[in-house]
Amino acid sequence: MSKRTPNLAPGMVQLTLPLSSLPSQKLKAGSLRTSETVKEALRQALRSCGLSRETVADELTRLTGENVSIHQINNWTSTAKEDRSIPLEQLAALTIVTGDAGLARAALECSGWSVLAPEQHAYYELGRMTAEDRTRHRKKRDLLERIKA
């Protein structure tokens, strides 16, 4: 390692953003705390999927390539173990194995983002296309009015 400081371009200074300009500053402290909600969503997904936790653990291990034990799943769902959160890498596999997107919904709910199930995606695409058509129609109408004038 060289102890020499890098030669930065003269006159170049890195500016920092004031914290008040961050979008997250509008939110109350702790307003994105979702640990209890996410744990409850996982418990509900495990109950409703009809699979044993051992089967879910085996399938998570198979899908992600990471060793997941029944004890880890028990820790993820335990309200007493607040320090054991569900790794984000397991979210897709948990959603597929349980067939329930409630876990992702619970994690994102307070941020204003939403999660669509595959069968809802067609409705979203149709709505997006309709909105694009309306925008195009407005632009076309404005252009025709300019041509007439």
Side-chain angles (χ1 to χ4, degrees):
M1 285 272 299
S2 172
K3 293 184 180 182
R4 207 172 103 190
T5 59
N7 186 11
L8 300 175
M12 298 293 289
V13 178
Q14 181 177 352
L15 299 175
T16 57
L17 290 174
L19 288 179
S20 61
S21 68
L22 294 174
S24 60
Q25 290 298 308
K26 297 174 186 157
L27 299 172
K28 292 180 184 177
S31 65
L32 296 180
R33 180 178 168 82
T34 59
S35 59
E36 295 87 6
T37 309
V38 168
K39 285 178 183 278
E40 177 57 35
L42 178 58
R43 283 193 297 274
Q44 179 61 36
L46 290 170
R47 270 194 303 271
S48 64
C49 77
L51 300 172
S52 70
R53 290 187 179 195
E54 185 175 308
T55 304
V56 171
D58 291 342
E59 194 61 10
L60 289 176
T61 299
R62 186 183 75 78
L63 290 173
T64 63
E66 297 175 15
N67 189 25
V68 178
S69 68
I70 189 171
H71 302 296
Q72 285 174 298
I73 293 176
N74 290 337
N75 287 338
W76 294 342
T77 59
S78 173
T79 54
K81 302 205 175 179
E82 293 179 11
D83 60 331
R84 307 290 169 86
S85 58
I86 303 162
L88 186 57
E89 300 86 32
Q90 300 294 335
L91 180 62
L94 279 166
T95 302
I96 291 170
V97 171
T98 62
D100 188 348
L103 185 60
R105 283 191 190 100
L108 293 172
E109 184 176 51
C110 58
S111 69
W113 288 83
S114 16
V115 177
L116 296 177
E119 60 272 7
Q120 296 171 318
H121 195 265
Y123 293 109
Y124 166 76
E125 284 295 319
L126 181 62
R128 190 173 61 86
M129 289 172 58
T130 303
E132 289 171 357
D133 288 344
R134 287 180 181 167
T135 303
R136 246 188 322 261
H137 180 71
R138 270 190 236 116
K139 285 182 181 180
K140 183 178 177 181
R141 189 181 62 223
D142 292 344
L143 289 172
L144 287 172
E145 286 177 8
R146 266 200 258 159
I147 291 171
K148 288 179 184 177

